[in-house]
Amino acid sequence: MHAAFPKTNTKKLSTGMRQIIYNNVTSHHDNPETIEWDAMPHFLLRRGMTVFPFTESASAITFGINTSHIHNVKAVSVSCCLTSTQELTWTLDGKAIHTNNLPDKITSNKSSLSAVCAIVQNSHICTGYEDSISHDTWSLTTDENSTKKRSHSSSCLMLLQIGYSPPCEYCYGLSYRENKRQRVSQKNHDIPLQELNQNIDHGKVTKIPNQEDQQLIPDEDDDQIVKLSPATHQDLCDILAEVSPTLAATNFKLLLIQQVRNSNCSVTTQRRWDKRVISLCLSLWNRSPKSYSTLQNSGYLVLPSGKLLTKYKNCIKQNCGFNQDMFKWMNYECDNKNVSRQGRHGGLSFDEVAIQEDLVYTRRDDEILLKGFIDINEESKYGSLLKNKGIPKTDLASHVFQMVFLGNTGFRWPIAYFATREISAPEIYSVFWDAVFQLHEWGFTVDYASMDGAVSNRSFIKLHFTEPVTPRQANFMVTNRADMRRKLAMIMDFSHCVKKIRNGLLKSGSHGLPKELMIDGKQVLWSYFRDAYTWSLDCNTIAFNRKLTPSHFDPDTAEKMRNHLSEEVLDSDMLHLMETYQASMDGKGGHLDSTVKLLKNTSTFIKIFRDKRPINKLCDKRLTELDDVAKFFLAWERQLEESSLPTKDKKIHMLSYECRDDIISCINGFLGFAKQTLTIEATAEVTPAMINSDVIENVFCQVRSTHNGSNTNPTVAAYGSTINSIILGQSTISMKSNAKSVGNICAANPLQFYTKQPLTKQTKNMPKQKVLSNVIDY
């Protein structure tokens, strides 16, 4: 044995001599000198071996030597156990040794035993490498001052082959990497603070040192990075899962890998991002580019640049009319969200919003476009030509007509928009059925249409009926021309119906107001509502309805448009307040009977259409309750029409005809849609809270506030460029649906994620451009 711990691998025996010794272990000579089992101990003793005590069963012999090494104040021994079946088992200090570089079989002759003894005597022990924090101490019996703390690799060979000096290749490699890290750490101690901060700014290091922690993380491209084996990588993953199961199971691991990989790229164009990271950043950036820029420049996270996100956002060039790429994107996203077959059935909501009359120049490839003119479809252009007696005329658009598809399970998608100047009923008819047919071609079925009570929308419904059949007689159900086996329900928006009822009550009074509503011979005046509210404040310590405010009873022009203000004066809480107020009059509140009767029906109306619980059976009591509400308004109307009052007084005592018609359309259209859906598909569900125009009003709100600043009057060009931001910035599954989950409550992915279409690139030298417009050249 050597008297010191060598630090490099040096061969002491020649390769030929080492090979001869190992070959003799299992060699079969022509005249073998076989050794009997009983004579083996004596032979081993003569060879310098120490034969350790063994059992009398004579099934194994353990022999070896005590080395000159001391491990933790205990002599280290190398031993070998020979069984009667000629198998060898090697141990070092009582621990089994890997046999991949040692013989595990032997023949019973003198040459083989002599070779085994030579291996025991000449093989060196791996003593590891020096480590000041290790708990293991090693020393030599011949040197009292040789005690040192040493560590071993988990893959240490323990006993080396003849001719090789310690440490083994695994301990030597681990020692090399540890020494290199220490040199890097020592080198970084000498870096001036100013230079270090510059390196951090240029991405050369990823950790800022302080007084307690001076170790820097080197670049990924540097050879100082330790490459983990698959087994070690799995061990680290298991440790992460054990320390924090929730983080290991989420996208935190992906984010961590992306940050480490891209933080070391000094050139931003060399960064590569996972699709999930791009999708998340697009959603954040579209909602607030300024907030995203602040987070990106903070230095806490490395994020994709705004220029890259812009390319993904502009995956589709938005223009007025139907775009096949939009339907393709919609179909891909529907499949990605695992929308069921029932989720591809739904309704088409449409509405019109006022915009700024302005002409804007926009560039597309090598063309310059003029945006701002009326742009609906070819039928509209030729209809305008006929209307103007053959004189071509093109006006600037003052409104945008938007169409949004909403599936029964909550999947929503703005399919198209049109630049209009207060769209007419024939134009709605044309674009609506064109949308229904195109959706049908892409696997989507339209079962209802949701709209507000505008004059053009009511005229659009009447275009589907010919006398003597009226929309009421058909329960506002028309034949679906894309699928003649199905019906399509025309449903007026619930929120607009409630506001019309409230507005009718606001006009009801006995002092010069245009209305004086009357049910069963008793007045229903707005002053009754105001008196009940005043009584709850003056005569009670705790208000019966805490939602009510003066704005509910004296709304201004803007407050009249607030849905919650109209619903909260007609819901169940207001009914409870009115009943309590009537009971406090000690039998003198009979004049409030009709008001209470009206509130019972309006509260049921509001409660059902704000209910997020799905209807999945035809026997659901909510369908019966809605039918009773419709019968109440019809009975009120019939009662006054059959009375002997003058025609003028009849109109004063009733809500307007448009309001009554919209209520019947909302209720009967919904009942027809629900019954058809539940009859055709046994497992289908209908959520009442989703059957309204809130989804399209949400689009208008984002156009006017979220994506264009506080701009309540955008242009046609600004409106179109915002559609992609809305799709990529909001969840494609409505939060009102019963199909929302962690996996699908997220924004849409860019179209490039589903196709091989490359990102758009802007050319530096713009070619000769041609100015185009949608003006017809007759």
Side-chain angles (χ1 to χ4, degrees):
M1 288 296 171
H2 294 275
F5 297 104
K7 295 183 179 180
T8 58
N9 289 343
T10 56
K11 297 183 179 181
K12 296 299 181 181
L13 294 179
S14 65
T15 303
M17 182 63 68
R18 184 172 64 253
Q19 191 63 36
I20 291 174
I21 293 175
Y22 277 87
N23 289 341
N24 286 336
V25 176
T26 57
S27 62
H28 297 273
H29 301 280
D30 295 336
N31 297 311
E33 299 181 14
T34 304
I35 303 177
E36 298 295 334
W37 183 261
D38 296 337
M40 283 188 181
H42 180 68
F43 178 82
L44 293 172
L45 290 172
R46 289 176 54 191
R47 293 293 181 180
M49 295 290 102
T50 299
V51 181
F52 299 96
F54 58 92
T55 59
E56 296 297 333
S57 62
S59 60
I61 299 176
T62 303
F63 59 93
I65 60 171
N66 289 324
T67 66
S68 59
H69 296 278
I70 298 176
H71 177 215
N72 293 338
V73 200
K74 181 181 177 182
V76 179
S77 62
V78 178
S79 60
C80 184
C81 180
L82 176 62
T83 64
S84 58
T85 58
Q86 300 180 356
E87 295 181 356
L88 288 174
T89 302
W90 300 81
T91 59
L92 175 64
D93 201 15
K95 297 181 181 179
I97 302 176
H98 302 293
T99 58
N100 56 347
N101 62 339
L102 295 172
D104 56 359
K105 283 282 188 178
I106 190 176
T107 56
S108 300
N109 54 57
K110 292 182 178 181
S111 299
S112 297
L113 283 175
S114 298
V116 172
C117 294
I119 293 174
V120 174
Q121 292 172 342
N122 294 281
S123 295
H124 294 161
I125 298 173
C126 178
T127 55
Y129 63 94
E130 294 186 17
D131 187 0
S132 59
I133 63 174
S134 176
H135 298 288
D136 293 340
T137 60
W138 288 76
S139 61
L140 296 172
T141 56
T142 57
D143 188 357
E144 297 179 353
N145 299 322
S146 62
T147 302
K148 293 183 179 180
K149 293 183 178 181
R150 309 181 74 84
S151 293
H152 289 76
S153 170
S154 59
S155 303
C156 179
L157 298 177
M158 302 175 71
L159 192 64
L160 306 179
Q161 292 185 3
I162 297 176
Y164 286 94
S165 299
C168 68
E169 54 182 310
Y170 296 103
C171 292
Y172 181 79
L174 186 59
S175 174
Y176 173 79
R177 291 191 293 270
E178 182 65 26
N179 291 337
K180 200 166 188 179
R181 278 194 290 267
Q182 291 179 0
R183 291 196 301 270
V184 173
S185 178
Q186 184 63 33
K187 178 181 178 181
N188 290 329
H189 276 288
D190 301 330
I191 299 178
L193 183 59
Q194 182 179 1
E195 180 182 351
L196 184 60
N197 290 333
Q198 293 176 357
N199 292 339
I200 293 173
D201 294 337
H202 289 83
K204 296 181 179 180
V205 295
T206 58
K207 185 176 180 182
I208 301 177
N210 51 41
Q211 295 179 354
E212 298 179 357
D213 185 6
Q214 295 288 332
Q215 186 177 0
L216 300 177
I217 303 176
D219 274 352
E220 185 179 0
D221 297 333
D222 200 285
D223 58 356
Q224 299 165 11
I225 292 296
V226 178
K227 295 183 179 180
L228 302 178
S229 64
T232 307
H233 171 75
Q234 186 60 40
D235 290 341
L236 291 177
C237 293
D238 294 341
I239 292 172
L240 178 61
E242 183 177 354
V243 172
S244 181
T246 56
L247 288 180
T250 60
N251 290 330
F252 173 77
K253 189 189 304 182
L254 171 66
L255 179 63
L256 185 61
I257 294 174
Q258 292 280 291
Q259 290 298 303
V260 173
R261 180 178 300 167
N262 291 300
S263 61
N264 294 320
C265 294
S266 58
V267 183
T268 57
T269 56
Q270 296 178 354
R271 294 173 179 170
R272 298 297 179 264
W273 301 97
D274 188 87
K275 291 182 178 180
R276 288 166 289 182
V277 176
I278 290 290
S279 180
L280 174 63
C281 292
L282 265 175
S283 179
L284 298 175
W285 179 72
N286 278 293
R287 293 178 185 180
S288 178
K290 186 66 176 179
S291 299
Y292 181 84
S293 177
T294 302
L295 179 61
Q296 185 182 29
N297 297 330
S298 65
Y300 290 105
L301 291 174
V302 179
L303 300 175
S305 64
K307 184 178 180 180
L308 177 64
L309 298 179
T310 302
K311 293 180 179 179
Y312 277 106
K313 182 185 83 73
N314 296 332
C315 54
I316 290 180
K317 300 298 181 182
Q318 293 290 346
N319 291 304
C320 295
F322 296 105
N323 188 343
Q324 292 303 311
D325 286 338
M326 280 290 287
F327 290 107
K328 183 189 301 183
W329 191 10
M330 174 183 179
N331 187 51
Y332 279 132
E333 192 61 31
C334 192
D335 293 338
N336 182 54
K337 292 295 189 297
N338 297 320
V339 176
S340 62
R341 184 170 62 90
Q342 184 58 31
R344 288 177 172 265
H345 288 251
L348 197 59
S349 298
F350 53 85
D351 199 359
E352 205 170 31
V353 62
I355 60 170
Q356 180 181 351
E357 297 184 32
D358 195 9
L359 196 62
V360 179
Y361 290 85
T362 62
R363 177 188 170 215
R364 185 179 64 186
D365 297 332
D366 60 340
E367 300 175 345
I368 292 294
L369 302 179
L370 297 177
K371 288 189 176 182
F373 293 111
I374 296 175
D375 189 2
I376 302 177
N377 54 18
E378 293 298 324
E379 290 85 349
S380 174
K381 293 176 182 178
Y382 291 113
S384 176
L385 186 64
L386 293 174
K387 182 179 179 181
N388 295 305
K389 300 180 180 180
I391 300 175
K393 182 180 180 181
T394 302
D395 295 327
L396 293 177
S398 61
H399 291 74
V400 164
F401 182 76
Q402 178 68 58
M403 309 183 79
V404 178
F405 176 82
L406 178 63
N408 292 339
T409 59
F411 179 78
R412 56 186 174 181
W413 197 269
I415 61 171
Y417 71 94
F418 305 87
T420 68
R421 196 172 186 86
E422 294 187 0
I423 192 169
S424 62
E427 291 170 338
I428 297 177
Y429 188 95
S430 176
V431 297
F432 174 80
W433 286 110
D434 194 1
V436 172
F437 277 106
Q438 297 215 34
L439 285 170
H440 185 75
E441 291 178 0
W442 286 92
F444 297 89
T445 303
V446 178
D447 289 328
Y448 69 89
S450 178
M451 68 204 84
D452 60 17
V455 176
S456 58
N457 291 337
R458 284 197 294 272
S459 301
F460 159 70
I461 294 177
K462 293 179 181 178
L463 290 176
H464 296 83
F465 302 94
T466 55
E467 295 182 355
V469 180
T470 63
R472 284 194 184 185
Q473 292 174 345
N475 290 326
F476 293 88
M477 301 289 290
V478 302
T479 302
N480 191 333
R481 301 185 180 183
D483 187 353
M484 303 297 290
R485 299 168 298 177
R486 305 176 69 93
K487 293 288 186 179
L488 193 150
M490 298 292 176
I491 303 176
M492 285 295 174
D493 178 39
F494 151 78
S495 298
H496 284 79
C497 291
V498 175
K499 284 187 287 188
K500 285 186 176 182
I501 296 174
R502 192 275 317 274
N503 293 340
L505 288 170
L506 280 173
K507 299 175 183 177
S508 178
S510 57
H511 300 288
L513 293 177
K515 291 285 184 181
E516 188 178 347
L517 301 181
M518 187 174 292
I519 302 175
D520 296 335
K522 295 183 179 181
Q523 293 176 328
V524 181
L525 306 179
W526 186 243
S527 59
Y528 296 164
F529 290 81
R530 187 182 290 108
D531 293 342
Y533 169 66
T534 305
W535 170 82
S536 67
L537 296 179
D538 297 340
C539 303
N540 298 278
T541 305
I542 301 177
F544 284 92
N545 191 342
R546 300 183 181 181
K547 298 178 182 178
L548 298 179
T549 63
S551 298
H552 287 78
F553 302 96
D554 296 297
D556 56 24
T557 304
E559 290 171 343
K560 287 182 180 180
M561 301 300 295
R562 300 289 183 264
N563 291 339
H564 72 95
L565 293 180
S566 60
E567 292 178 16
E568 287 169 356
V569 294
L570 298 172
D571 62 4
S572 56
D573 292 335
M574 189 67 204
L575 171 63
H576 173 66
L577 172 59
M578 190 65 70
E579 289 177 336
T580 306
Y581 174 57
Q582 184 184 29
S584 68
M585 295 183 178
D586 297 329
K588 298 181 181 180
H591 62 286
L592 297 177
D593 290 342
S594 295
T595 305
V596 172
K597 186 176 182 180
L598 175 63
L599 285 174
K600 287 182 179 179
N601 287 276
T602 57
S603 61
T604 302
F605 184 48
I606 294 171
K607 179 185 67 175
I608 294 176
F609 273 99
R610 288 304 181 196
D611 195 348
K612 297 182 181 180
R613 297 173 301 167
I615 298 174
N616 50 24
K617 294 181 181 179
L618 289 173
C619 59
D620 195 303
K621 67 176 183 179
R622 287 173 289 180
L623 298 178
T624 305
E625 291 174 353
L626 268 181
D627 189 50
D628 293 340
V629 173
K631 290 179 180 178
F632 163 77
F633 284 100
L634 290 173
W636 181 11
E637 181 183 62
R638 191 181 309 110
Q639 180 187 40
L640 290 173
E641 288 180 348
E642 294 176 355
S643 66
S644 59
L645 294 173
T647 304
K648 181 179 179 181
D649 292 341
K650 291 180 182 179
K651 293 182 179 180
I652 293 175
H653 295 327
M654 285 191 298
L655 294 170
S656 65
Y657 175 80
E658 292 79 9
C659 178
R660 303 194 308 270
D661 209 46
D662 290 352
I663 294 172
I664 303 303
S665 170
C666 180
I667 296 176
N668 288 352
F670 173 77
L671 292 176
F673 159 67
K675 291 176 181 178
Q676 174 180 258
T677 302
L678 299 179
T679 302
I680 296 177
E681 186 68 40
T683 60
E685 294 180 343
V686 175
T687 305
M690 291 173 52
I691 312 301
N692 50 52
S693 296
D694 290 353
V695 62
I696 199 166
E697 295 293 344
N698 180 266
V699 172
F700 293 155
C701 288
Q702 293 186 70
V703 170
R704 287 181 287 205
S705 61
T706 304
H707 300 290
N708 291 310
S710 182
N711 183 7
T712 58
N713 203 19
T715 63
V716 174
Y719 186 97
S721 63
T722 309
I723 296 298
N724 285 352
S725 299
I726 294 174
I727 296 175
L728 296 170
Q730 73 172 4
S731 169
T732 54
I733 303 297
S734 173
M735 297 300 293
K736 296 180 180 178
S737 69
N738 60 317
K740 58 181 181 293
S741 63
V742 177
N744 60 12
I745 295 298
C746 57
N749 292 322
L751 182 61
Q752 284 87 351
F753 285 10
Y754 308 112
T755 63
K756 296 182 179 180
Q757 178 182 358
L759 292 176
T760 57
K761 295 183 179 180
Q762 297 181 354
T763 56
K764 295 183 179 179
N765 298 323
M766 189 164 53
K768 184 178 180 180
Q769 299 165 343
K770 180 174 61 174
V771 178
L772 301 179
S773 70
N774 57 357
V775 181
I776 303 177
D777 186 12
Y778 295 98

